[in-house]
Structure formats: C-alpha cells, structure tokens
Short mmCIF file of all heavy atoms in Angstrom, two decimals:
data_model
loop_
_atom_site.label_atom_id
_atom_site.label_comp_id
_atom_site.label_asym_id
_atom_site.label_seq_id
_atom_site.Cartn_x
_atom_site.Cartn_y
_atom_site.Cartn_z
N ASP J 266 101.66 80.68 108.57
CA ASP J 266 100.53 81.62 108.57
C ASP J 266 100.28 82.23 109.93
O ASP J 266 99.28 82.91 110.14
CB ASP J 266 99.26 80.90 108.08
CG ASP J 266 99.37 80.45 106.63
OD1 ASP J 266 100.04 81.16 105.86
OD2 ASP J 266 98.81 79.39 106.30
N ASN J 267 101.18 81.99 110.89
CA ASN J 267 100.98 82.48 112.25
C ASN J 267 101.99 83.56 112.61
O ASN J 267 102.37 83.71 113.76
CB ASN J 267 101.08 81.30 113.24
CG ASN J 267 100.56 81.68 114.62
OD1 ASN J 267 99.63 82.46 114.76
ND2 ASN J 267 101.19 81.12 115.64
N TYR J 268 102.45 84.29 111.60
CA TYR J 268 103.39 85.40 111.81
C TYR J 268 104.65 84.96 112.54
O TYR J 268 105.11 85.61 113.48
CB TYR J 268 102.70 86.54 112.55
CG TYR J 268 101.42 86.98 111.88
CD1 TYR J 268 100.18 86.74 112.47
CD2 TYR J 268 101.44 87.61 110.64
CE1 TYR J 268 99.00 87.12 111.85
CE2 TYR J 268 100.26 87.99 110.01
CZ TYR J 268 99.05 87.73 110.61
OH TYR J 268 97.90 88.10 109.98
N GLY J 269 105.20 83.85 112.10
CA GLY J 269 106.44 83.37 112.70
C GLY J 269 107.61 84.24 112.31
O GLY J 269 107.74 84.66 111.15
N MET J 270 108.49 84.53 113.27
CA MET J 270 109.62 85.44 113.04
C MET J 270 110.92 84.82 113.49
O MET J 270 110.99 84.18 114.54
CB MET J 270 109.41 86.75 113.81
CG MET J 270 108.27 87.60 113.33
SD MET J 270 107.93 89.01 114.44
CE MET J 270 106.89 88.22 115.70
N VAL J 271 111.95 84.99 112.69
CA VAL J 271 113.31 84.62 113.07
C VAL J 271 114.11 85.91 113.15
O VAL J 271 114.43 86.52 112.13
CB VAL J 271 113.95 83.67 112.04
CG1 VAL J 271 115.37 83.32 112.46
CG2 VAL J 271 113.11 82.41 111.87
N HIS J 272 114.41 86.35 114.37
CA HIS J 272 115.08 87.65 114.50
C HIS J 272 116.53 87.54 114.10
O HIS J 272 117.11 86.45 114.07
CB HIS J 272 114.93 88.18 115.93
CG HIS J 272 115.82 87.50 116.92
ND1 HIS J 272 117.08 87.96 117.23
CD2 HIS J 272 115.62 86.41 117.69
CE1 HIS J 272 117.62 87.17 118.15
NE2 HIS J 272 116.77 86.22 118.44
N THR J 273 117.13 88.67 113.78
CA THR J 273 118.55 88.73 113.47
C THR J 273 119.28 89.44 114.60
O THR J 273 118.67 89.87 115.58
CB THR J 273 118.78 89.51 112.16
OG1 THR J 273 118.42 90.88 112.38
CG2 THR J 273 117.96 88.93 111.01
N GLU J 274 120.58 89.55 114.44
CA GLU J 274 121.40 90.27 115.43
C GLU J 274 121.40 91.77 115.20
O GLU J 274 122.10 92.50 115.90
CB GLU J 274 122.84 89.75 115.40
CG GLU J 274 123.61 90.07 114.14
CD GLU J 274 123.35 89.09 113.01
OE1 GLU J 274 122.45 88.23 113.14
OE2 GLU J 274 124.05 89.17 111.98
N ASN J 275 120.60 92.26 114.28
CA ASN J 275 120.66 93.67 113.88
C ASN J 275 120.15 94.64 114.94
O ASN J 275 119.09 94.42 115.53
CB ASN J 275 119.85 93.89 112.60
CG ASN J 275 120.50 93.29 111.38
OD1 ASN J 275 121.66 92.88 111.43
ND2 ASN J 275 119.79 93.22 110.28
N PHE J 276 120.93 95.71 115.15
CA PHE J 276 120.47 96.91 115.85
C PHE J 276 120.18 97.94 114.77
O PHE J 276 120.96 98.09 113.83
CB PHE J 276 121.56 97.45 116.78
CG PHE J 276 121.76 96.66 118.05
CD1 PHE J 276 121.02 95.51 118.31
CD2 PHE J 276 122.70 97.06 118.98
CE1 PHE J 276 121.22 94.78 119.48
CE2 PHE J 276 122.90 96.34 120.15
CZ PHE J 276 122.16 95.20 120.40
N ILE J 277 119.07 98.65 114.91
CA ILE J 277 118.65 99.61 113.90
C ILE J 277 118.63 101.00 114.49
O ILE J 277 118.00 101.23 115.53
CB ILE J 277 117.26 99.25 113.34
CG1 ILE J 277 117.21 97.79 112.88
CG2 ILE J 277 116.90 100.16 112.17
CD1 ILE J 277 116.63 96.85 113.89
N LEU J 278 119.32 101.94 113.85
CA LEU J 278 119.37 103.32 114.31
C LEU J 278 118.28 104.13 113.60
O LEU J 278 118.23 104.18 112.37
CB LEU J 278 120.75 103.93 114.01
CG LEU J 278 120.96 105.39 114.40
CD1 LEU J 278 120.77 105.59 115.91
CD2 LEU J 278 122.35 105.86 113.96
N ILE J 279 117.41 104.76 114.39
CA ILE J 279 116.28 105.51 113.88
C ILE J 279 116.44 106.98 114.25
O ILE J 279 116.78 107.31 115.38
CB ILE J 279 114.94 104.97 114.45
CG1 ILE J 279 114.83 103.45 114.26
CG2 ILE J 279 113.75 105.70 113.83
CD1 ILE J 279 114.85 103.01 112.82
N ASP J 280 116.17 107.87 113.27
CA ASP J 280 116.32 109.30 113.55
C ASP J 280 115.01 109.92 114.03
O ASP J 280 114.00 109.23 114.22
CB ASP J 280 116.88 110.04 112.33
CG ASP J 280 115.92 110.09 111.14
OD1 ASP J 280 114.71 109.83 111.30
OD2 ASP J 280 116.39 110.42 110.02
N LYS J 281 115.02 111.21 114.25
CA LYS J 281 113.85 111.91 114.81
C LYS J 281 112.69 112.00 113.84
O LYS J 281 111.56 112.30 114.25
CB LYS J 281 114.27 113.32 115.26
CG LYS J 281 115.26 113.32 116.41
CD LYS J 281 115.61 114.73 116.84
CE LYS J 281 116.63 114.73 117.97
NZ LYS J 281 116.96 116.11 118.44
N GLU J 282 112.96 111.72 112.57
CA GLU J 282 111.89 111.69 111.55
C GLU J 282 111.39 110.28 111.30
O GLU J 282 110.69 110.03 110.33
CB GLU J 282 112.39 112.31 110.24
CG GLU J 282 112.54 113.82 110.28
CD GLU J 282 113.76 114.27 111.08
OE1 GLU J 282 114.83 113.65 110.95
OE2 GLU J 282 113.63 115.24 111.85
N LYS J 283 111.80 109.33 112.16
CA LYS J 283 111.37 107.93 112.10
C LYS J 283 111.95 107.19 110.89
O LYS J 283 111.36 106.25 110.39
CB LYS J 283 109.84 107.82 112.10
CG LYS J 283 109.16 108.49 113.29
CD LYS J 283 107.67 108.25 113.33
CE LYS J 283 106.96 108.96 112.21
NZ LYS J 283 105.47 108.83 112.31
N ARG J 284 113.14 107.61 110.44
CA ARG J 284 113.79 107.00 109.29
C ARG J 284 114.94 106.10 109.74
O ARG J 284 115.60 106.38 110.74
CB ARG J 284 114.32 108.08 108.34
CG ARG J 284 113.24 109.03 107.83
CD ARG J 284 113.83 110.18 107.03
NE ARG J 284 114.76 110.98 107.82
CZ ARG J 284 115.29 112.12 107.41
NH1 ARG J 284 114.98 112.59 106.20
NH2 ARG J 284 116.13 112.80 108.18
N VAL J 285 115.21 105.05 108.99
CA VAL J 285 116.32 104.15 109.29
C VAL J 285 117.61 104.80 108.81
O VAL J 285 117.77 105.12 107.63
CB VAL J 285 116.12 102.79 108.59
CG1 VAL J 285 117.33 101.89 108.86
CG2 VAL J 285 114.84 102.11 109.05
N ARG J 286 118.57 104.97 109.73
CA ARG J 286 119.84 105.63 109.40
C ARG J 286 121.05 104.71 109.51
O ARG J 286 122.17 105.11 109.18
CB ARG J 286 120.04 106.86 110.29
CG ARG J 286 118.91 107.86 110.22
CD ARG J 286 118.62 108.36 108.80
NE ARG J 286 119.74 109.05 108.22
CZ ARG J 286 119.92 110.38 108.34
NH1 ARG J 286 119.06 111.12 109.02
NH2 ARG J 286 120.95 110.96 107.75
N GLY J 287 120.83 103.47 109.99
CA GLY J 287 121.95 102.55 110.06
C GLY J 287 121.53 101.21 110.64
O GLY J 287 120.56 101.13 111.40
N THR J 288 122.25 100.16 110.26
CA THR J 288 122.06 98.84 110.87
C THR J 288 123.43 98.32 111.30
O THR J 288 124.43 98.55 110.61
CB THR J 288 121.39 97.85 109.91
OG1 THR J 288 122.23 97.66 108.76
CG2 THR J 288 120.02 98.35 109.47
N TYR J 289 123.45 97.59 112.41
CA TYR J 289 124.70 97.17 113.02
C TYR J 289 124.54 95.77 113.60
O TYR J 289 123.45 95.40 114.07
CB TYR J 289 125.11 98.14 114.14
CG TYR J 289 125.00 99.59 113.72
CD1 TYR J 289 123.77 100.25 113.75
CD2 TYR J 289 126.11 100.28 113.25
CE1 TYR J 289 123.66 101.57 113.32
CE2 TYR J 289 126.01 101.60 112.83
CZ TYR J 289 124.76 102.24 112.86
OH TYR J 289 124.65 103.54 112.43
N ASP J 290 125.62 95.02 113.59
CA ASP J 290 125.63 93.69 114.20
C ASP J 290 125.66 93.86 115.72
O ASP J 290 126.67 94.28 116.28
CB ASP J 290 126.84 92.91 113.71
CG ASP J 290 126.90 91.48 114.22
OD1 ASP J 290 126.24 91.19 115.25
OD2 ASP J 290 127.60 90.66 113.61
N GLY J 291 124.57 93.52 116.37
CA GLY J 291 124.46 93.72 117.81
C GLY J 291 125.30 92.77 118.64
O GLY J 291 125.34 92.89 119.87
N THR J 292 126.00 91.83 117.98
CA THR J 292 126.89 90.92 118.70
C THR J 292 128.36 91.29 118.51
O THR J 292 129.24 90.63 119.05
CB THR J 292 126.69 89.46 118.23
OG1 THR J 292 127.10 89.34 116.85
CG2 THR J 292 125.23 89.05 118.36
N ASN J 293 128.60 92.35 117.74
CA ASN J 293 129.96 92.73 117.38
C ASN J 293 130.34 94.02 118.10
O ASN J 293 129.76 95.08 117.85
CB ASN J 293 130.04 92.90 115.86
CG ASN J 293 131.44 93.18 115.37
OD1 ASN J 293 132.15 94.03 115.90
ND2 ASN J 293 131.86 92.48 114.34
N GLU J 294 131.33 93.96 118.97
CA GLU J 294 131.70 95.12 119.78
C GLU J 294 132.22 96.28 118.92
O GLU J 294 131.99 97.44 119.26
CB GLU J 294 132.74 94.73 120.83
CG GLU J 294 132.18 93.82 121.92
CD GLU J 294 133.18 93.56 123.03
OE1 GLU J 294 134.29 94.15 122.98
OE2 GLU J 294 132.86 92.79 123.95
#
C-alpha cells in the first residue's frame, strides 16, 4: 500500500504528442 515499484530494464520512446512509440531493453546494446 506504499506505492512500491520494481523497475524493469525498459527504455520507452515518446513522441512529440506524448505517445509511446517503442520499448527497448536498456541493457541490450
């Protein structure tokens, strides 16, 4: 109940309209 978060390795690409356009493994070259 304390807003606990487990983050992932994801990088998220956001466009100029504030929309999600892609997700990528931030640990993978």
Side-chain angles (χ1 to χ4, degrees):
D266 296 327
N267 194 34
Y268 306 111
M270 293 172 277
V271 179
H272 76 91
T273 66
E274 68 277 8
N275 289 348
F276 285 1
I277 308 97
L278 179 60
I279 308 299
D280 68 15
K281 295 181 181 182
E282 287 74 42
K283 304 185 291 185
R284 302 173 300 188
V285 177
R286 304 304 298 270
T288 61
Y289 313 82
D290 183 339
T292 65
N293 185 312
E294 291 186 4

